[in-house]
Amino acid sequence: MLEAINNELKQFSTSAEEASNKDIFYALSRLLTKRIKQDWALTQNAYDHNSEKQVYYFSMEFLLGKLMKVHLINLQILEPVKKAMQKLGFSLEEVLQYEHDAGLGNGGLGRLAACFLDSMASLEIPGHGIGIRYKYGLFEQRLINQNQVELPDYWLKDDYIWEERRNEQSVEVKFGGTIHMTERNGRLHFVHENAETVKAVPFDVPITGYNNQTVNTLRLWSAESSLDAASYDQNQLPQYRDYLEYKQSIEEISAFLYPDDSHEEGKKLRLKQQYFLVSAGLQSIIHSFKKKYNADFSLFPKKIAIQINDTHPSLVIPELMRLLMDGEGLGWDKAWEITTNTVAYTNHTTLSEALETWPADMFSTLLPRIFMIVEEINERFCQHLWFHHEDYRDRIPELAVISYGQIKMAHLAVIGSHSVNGVAKIHTDILKKKEMKHFYQLYPSKFNNKTNGITHRRWLLQINPELSRLISSAIGDKWVERPKDLIKLIRYAEDTAFQDKAMEVKTYNKQVLARHIKEHTGLIVDDQSIFDVHIKRLHGYKRQLLNIFHIVYLYNTLKENPNLDIIPRTFIFGAKAAPSYYFAKQVIHFILSAADIINHDPAIQDKLKVVFLENYNVSLAEKIIPAADVSEQISTASKEASGTGNMKMMMNGALTIGTLDGANIEIKDMVGDKNIFTFGLTADDVLHYYHHGGYNAQDIYQTDERLQLILNQLHDGFFGNDEKDFKDIYYHLLSHNDEFFVLKDFNSYEETQEFVDQTYRNQQKWMTMSITNIAHSGKFSSDRTIQEYASEIWKVSKSPVFSR
Ligand SMILES: *Cc1c(COP(=O)(O)O)cnc(C)c1O
């Protein structure tokens, strides 16, 4: 290994003595790329020649984070490389920092896509990602004067080491123009005239499997001008300026990721991005399908499975129809059968503000042919209801794809696919019984659940090597390939020697995080305190506000009674707010303002510390999660479809304080009531209040003195001069009746937090609970999730490219 690295350095005429960390980083990346490329080509060749079904996962987001360590682990060379680095006088950890996070996603949905790619490759499933190569990923967050400031994330400025441009596989995507119909040989032909043509260029990223040589592909599409700059005379200024403007308008399509998590804006550029992704992705799939199977499209659903990650890529349905009919000459019925048998849809949310709709006039102008097809799909669906479901006749406007000038993407996705899945049991139940009740009654067999998962290779093996080693020392290392084997740890839950070691690991990880906190915020936190972690996007329903209300309550109580006996706690937040989400930004401002007061009040005697770490992303999550004692999963019940942060922390031995929402419920089912702290309204309670009323936030303000004090502090400027901001939170809760039930759940949350404190005092008991959580976390590996998708939706099996 040492020699290989030295050789790489030599080729760029440096030596280890002269090399910088960055030189070493590039040398290592070249070395890895060479190795990966061999297996990548062999895998690709096998997929081109065998007749295995291929899975394509379409997603507007892939939140990959860094990949170098993943590759080192997958290729089983992490230890030799680490040693070689030491010999050369470098620290691998420092070298790895030179990789920029690929932040092509907002949060859970994008990270899920990344975990799925990892699991597909590791399980030897021929599965690939299709996404957009945004020039700018999710914005970088700075905290300045206790407010969020956004900076552009120009992640491509140093070249992306893993990507490979495949110019020869570029395709064209057309926007706008008009459709001209002609008849030839008794058949209608659709000619697209005056369209704007965009060149879609694929950049492929290799996705390595764990210890198996399989290398799948993440194909990211980039928009480029199809006109050649050389044909413009730079001295002919008006024309050249037009050209530059035109070029920029094309490149804009893949310029940036929309930063609104779980919120839909209905912007034209976003629709352009979606169609760009779908059209380019499908054209390249059809191209490789035809090379293998000529034009026998009846084979298509047997050889191709397409999963769409939320409704964002649901234009695959009309676009596949277009390509099959206009491009390949198939009739409607045949094309429809192929399309619906190929496409499967994953629903991610029931939040109404996240449901995608497009104004029909904007849609038809931008995508005239696709609009015709959507209209036809809608027409046939409405006719079907009219003639075959008389009891649904009244509901046609409610269930149609197009109604009142709006196109409803979720309806299109359900009608045009063979599978509709939710992402946790409760979420799928809510879809079936409430949100998509009528569609469920029309198509009961389409609906199914696939509880989310996370790759235990990144989220345990990679980020917590100390705990991984301890686990392997007890139960062997088979759990790495079979995460359900973690259950064998249950025998050690009450083993005091093992508990002590697990405790040592946790303390070590807390010390490491404490150093990071000191370096990045200047705050000194006590590694003996409880590390209470709330990391996720900032959103009303995720209720960071409930957490900070409880912290302020503790603060007020300690001021009143400085001798109050509580275990010291360090509250750790990480969260980005969408730039246009005013309330979320106010909550950040509130947390930072309260933190400033609490952290610097000597009367608190360091019993409370509030830390907000800047720029929450995959790399920061990797630093925080191994050190978490308590995992905050406190969404308003019914709102968090699954959550995956909950799984990551459980797997690292944190105990969950959470509502009965999303996958928290399945975590509770696995570990039992005694090993999780649940509280608050249930989903049924919440849905009942929404439908029937009966909750009055003012009543709670009047009767709960603790909350009255905090709300008055907000109103009266206790947290700073910038009173106006905090008054808005006050009015949100009291005048707008607290739509996320923060005040309603406060009492139950506070009691449960007190129970957390009491429980932590018994360190043995705490460690028993912690180990029990780790032992049951195998179910939440995305390997299990992907096995379920593979056997129940995609009908694909493992297809090893290499014999082991
Ligand atoms: C896992 C993850 C998420 C999702 O967290 P939730 O708690 O499920 O919302 C979001 N962002 C990043 C960077 C993650 O790693």
Side-chain angles (χ1 to χ4, degrees), residues 760-784:
Y760 196 80
R761 289 162 200 253
N762 183 342
Q763 290 280 293
Q764 274 192 9
K765 177 165 180 225
W766 186 274
M767 289 317 295
T768 301
M769 294 170 73
S770 169
I771 296 161
T772 304
N773 270 265
I774 301 166
H776 285 100
S777 67
K779 156 164 180 175
F780 300 102
S781 165
S782 46
D783 287 7
R784 185 268 312 149

Side-chain angles (χ1 to χ4, degrees), residues 53 77 97 161 183 193 217 271 356 415 433 436 456 467 475 478 528 544 553 648 680 728 751 792 796 799:
K53 190 171 189 176
I77 54 173
Q97 294 316 307
I161 52 174
E183 207 190 299
E193 292 172 336
T217 301
L271 181 58
E356 287 194 298
I415 294 164
K433 290 187 192 134
M436 293 198 167
H456 62 287
L467 181 59
I475 63 168
K478 287 283 193 304
Q528 296 299 307
Q544 282 90 354
Y553 157 74
K648 297 169 195 164
D728 283 336
E751 281 174 8
E792 295 162 26
V796 288
S799 123

Side-chain angles (χ1 to χ4, degrees), residues 553-573:
Y553 157 74
L554 288 177
Y555 172 74
N556 288 338
T557 311
L558 272 169
K559 290 290 273 187
E560 188 79 1
N561 173 12
N563 295 323
L564 185 76
D565 178 24
I566 62 164
I567 305 279
R569 248 201 243 211
T570 302
F571 293 92
I572 298 165
F573 290 90

Side-chain angles (χ1 to χ4, degrees), residues 746-764:
F746 178 83
N747 187 58
S748 169
Y749 181 58
E750 190 278 319
E751 281 174 8
T752 308
Q753 281 288 22
E754 219 172 295
F755 184 48
V756 169
D757 175 294
Q758 290 301 323
T759 308
Y760 196 80
R761 289 162 200 253
N762 183 342
Q763 290 280 293
Q764 274 192 9

Side-chain angles (χ1 to χ4, degrees), residues 700-710:
I700 298 184
Y701 174 73
Q702 296 302 336
T703 51
D704 190 320
E705 286 174 10
R706 304 164 300 180
L707 289 171
Q708 206 174 78
L709 174 58
I710 300 169

